[in-house]
Coordinates of all heavy atoms in Angstrom, one line a residue:
S337 N 0.9 -1.2 0.0 CA 0.0 0.0 0.0 C 0.9 1.2 0.0 O 1.9 1.3 0.8 CB -0.9 0.0 1.2 OG -1.7 1.1 1.2
E338 N 0.5 2.2 -0.8 CA 1.3 3.4 -0.9 C 0.3 4.6 -1.0 O -0.8 4.5 -1.4 CB 2.1 3.5 -2.2 CG 3.2 2.5 -2.3 CD 4.0 2.6 -3.6 OE1 3.6 3.5 -4.5 OE2 5.0 1.9 -3.8
S339 N 0.7 5.7 -0.4 CA -0.1 6.9 -0.3 C 0.5 8.0 -1.1 O 1.7 8.2 -1.1 CB -0.2 7.4 1.2 OG -1.0 8.5 1.3
S340 N -0.3 8.7 -1.8 CA 0.2 9.9 -2.6 C -0.8 11.1 -2.5 O -2.0 10.8 -2.3 CB 0.3 9.5 -4.1 OG -0.9 9.0 -4.6
D341 N -0.3 12.3 -2.7 CA -1.2 13.4 -2.6 C -1.8 13.7 -4.0 O -1.1 13.7 -5.0 CB -0.4 14.7 -2.1 CG 0.0 14.5 -0.7 OD1 -0.7 13.8 0.1 OD2 1.0 15.2 -0.3
E342 N -3.1 13.9 -4.0 CA -3.8 14.2 -5.3 C -4.8 15.3 -5.1 O -5.4 15.4 -4.0 CB -4.5 12.9 -5.8 CG -3.5 11.7 -6.1 CD -4.3 10.5 -6.6 OE1 -5.5 10.6 -6.9 OE2 -3.6 9.5 -6.8
W343 N -5.0 16.1 -6.1 CA -6.0 17.1 -6.1 C -7.4 16.4 -6.2 O -7.6 15.6 -7.1 CB -5.8 18.0 -7.3 CG -4.7 19.0 -7.1 CD1 -3.5 18.9 -7.7 CD2 -4.6 20.2 -6.2 NE1 -2.6 19.9 -7.3 CE2 -3.3 20.7 -6.4 CE3 -5.5 20.8 -5.4 CZ2 -2.9 21.9 -5.7 CZ3 -5.1 21.9 -4.7 CH2 -3.9 22.5 -4.9
R344 N -8.3 16.8 -5.3 CA -9.6 16.2 -5.2 C -10.7 17.3 -5.1 O -10.5 18.3 -4.4 CB -9.8 15.3 -4.0 CG -8.9 14.0 -4.1 CD -9.5 13.1 -5.2 NE -8.7 11.8 -5.2 CZ -9.0 10.8 -6.0 NH1 -10.1 10.8 -6.6 NH2 -8.2 9.7 -6.0
P345 N -11.8 17.1 -5.8 CA -12.9 18.1 -5.7 C -13.5 17.9 -4.3 O -13.8 16.9 -3.8 CB -13.9 17.8 -6.8 CG -13.6 16.3 -7.1 CD -12.1 16.1 -6.8
I346 N -13.7 19.1 -3.6 CA -14.2 19.1 -2.3 C -15.7 19.5 -2.2 O -16.5 19.0 -1.4 CB -13.3 20.0 -1.4 CG1 -11.8 19.5 -1.4 CG2 -13.8 20.0 0.1 CD1 -11.6 18.2 -1.0
A347 N -16.0 20.6 -2.9 CA -17.3 21.1 -2.8 C -17.6 22.0 -4.1 O -16.7 22.5 -4.8 CB -17.5 22.0 -1.6
E348 N -18.9 22.2 -4.4 CA -19.4 23.2 -5.4 C -20.1 24.3 -4.7 O -20.8 24.2 -3.7 CB -20.3 22.5 -6.3 CG -19.9 21.2 -7.0 CD -19.0 21.4 -8.2 OE1 -19.1 22.6 -8.7 OE2 -18.3 20.5 -8.6
G349 N -19.8 25.5 -5.2 CA -20.5 26.7 -4.6 C -20.2 28.0 -5.2 O -19.9 28.1 -6.5
V350 N -20.2 29.0 -4.5 CA -20.1 30.4 -4.9 C -18.8 31.0 -4.3 O -18.6 30.9 -3.1 CB -21.3 31.3 -4.6 CG1 -21.1 32.7 -5.2 CG2 -22.5 30.6 -5.1
L351 N -18.0 31.7 -5.1 CA -16.8 32.4 -4.6 C -17.1 34.0 -4.6 O -17.6 34.6 -5.5 CB -15.6 32.1 -5.5 CG -14.3 32.8 -5.1 CD1 -13.8 32.0 -3.9 CD2 -13.3 32.8 -6.2
Y352 N -16.8 34.5 -3.4 CA -16.9 36.0 -3.2 C -15.6 36.5 -2.8 O -14.8 35.9 -2.0 CB -17.9 36.3 -2.0 CG -19.3 35.7 -2.2 CD1 -19.6 34.4 -1.7 CD2 -20.3 36.5 -2.8 CE1 -20.8 33.9 -1.8 CE2 -21.6 35.9 -2.9 CZ -21.8 34.7 -2.4 OH -23.1 34.1 -2.5
I353 N -15.3 37.7 -3.4 CA -14.0 38.4 -3.0 C -14.4 39.8 -2.5 O -15.1 40.6 -3.3 CB -13.0 38.5 -4.1 CG1 -12.6 37.1 -4.6 CG2 -11.8 39.2 -3.7 CD1 -11.7 37.1 -5.8
T354 N -14.1 40.1 -1.3 CA -14.4 41.4 -0.8 C -13.1 42.2 -0.6 O -12.0 41.7 -0.8 CB -15.2 41.3 0.6 OG1 -14.2 40.9 1.6 CG2 -16.3 40.3 0.5
N355 N -13.2 43.4 0.0 CA -12.0 44.1 0.3 C -11.3 43.7 1.6 O -10.3 44.3 2.1 CB -12.3 45.7 0.3 CG -13.3 46.0 1.4 OD1 -14.1 45.1 1.8 ND2 -13.4 47.2 1.9
K356 N -11.9 42.6 2.2 CA -11.3 42.1 3.4 C -10.9 40.6 3.3 O -9.9 40.1 3.8 CB -12.3 42.2 4.6 CG -12.6 43.7 4.8 CD -11.5 44.5 5.4 CE -12.0 45.9 5.8 NZ -10.9 46.7 6.3
K357 N -11.8 39.8 2.7 CA -11.6 38.4 2.7 C -12.1 37.7 1.3 O -12.7 38.3 0.5 CB -12.5 37.8 3.7 CG -12.2 38.2 5.2 CD -13.2 37.5 6.1 CE -12.9 37.8 7.6 NZ -13.2 39.3 7.9
V358 N -11.7 36.5 1.2 CA -12.2 35.6 0.1 C -13.1 34.6 0.8 O -12.7 33.8 1.7 CB -11.0 34.9 -0.6 CG1 -11.5 33.9 -1.7 CG2 -10.1 35.9 -1.3
Y359 N -14.3 34.5 0.3 CA -15.3 33.6 0.9 C -15.6 32.6 -0.2 O -15.8 32.8 -1.4 CB -16.6 34.3 1.3 CG -16.5 35.4 2.3 CD1 -16.2 36.7 2.0 CD2 -16.7 35.0 3.7 CE1 -16.1 37.6 3.0 CE2 -16.6 36.0 4.6 CZ -16.3 37.3 4.3 OH -16.3 38.3 5.3
F360 N -15.8 31.3 0.3 CA -16.4 30.3 -0.6 C -17.5 29.6 0.2 O -17.4 29.1 1.2 CB -15.4 29.2 -0.9 CG -15.8 28.0 -1.7 CD1 -16.1 28.2 -3.1 CD2 -16.1 26.8 -1.2 CE1 -16.6 27.2 -3.8 CE2 -16.6 25.7 -1.9 CZ -16.9 25.9 -3.2
D361 N -18.7 29.8 -0.4 CA -20.0 29.2 0.1 C -20.3 27.9 -0.6 O -20.9 28.0 -1.7 CB -21.1 30.3 0.0 CG -22.4 29.8 0.7 OD1 -22.3 28.8 1.4 OD2 -23.4 30.4 0.4
G362 N -19.9 26.8 -0.1 CA -20.0 25.5 -0.8 C -21.2 24.7 -0.3 O -21.7 24.9 0.8
D363 N -21.6 23.7 -1.1 CA -22.6 22.8 -0.8 C -22.2 21.8 0.4 O -23.1 21.3 1.1 CB -23.1 22.0 -2.0 CG -22.0 21.3 -2.7 OD1 -20.9 21.4 -2.4 OD2 -22.4 20.5 -3.6
K364 N -20.9 21.6 0.5 CA -20.4 20.6 1.4 C -19.5 21.3 2.4 O -19.6 20.9 3.7 CB -19.7 19.4 0.8 CG -20.7 18.6 -0.2 CD -19.8 17.5 -0.8 CE -20.8 16.7 -1.8 NZ -20.0 15.6 -2.5
Q365 N -18.7 22.1 2.0 CA -17.7 22.8 2.9 C -17.6 24.3 2.5 O -17.8 24.7 1.3 CB -16.3 22.1 2.8 CG -16.3 20.7 3.4 CD -14.9 20.2 3.5 OE1 -13.9 21.0 3.7 NE2 -14.8 18.9 3.4

């Protein structure tokens, strides 16, 4: 058994950028 790092989809949602923060409002996270 071997372990490797892979890019995985975590959630679908809306991205907001304000003058303070970056927000991601996702369906799961």
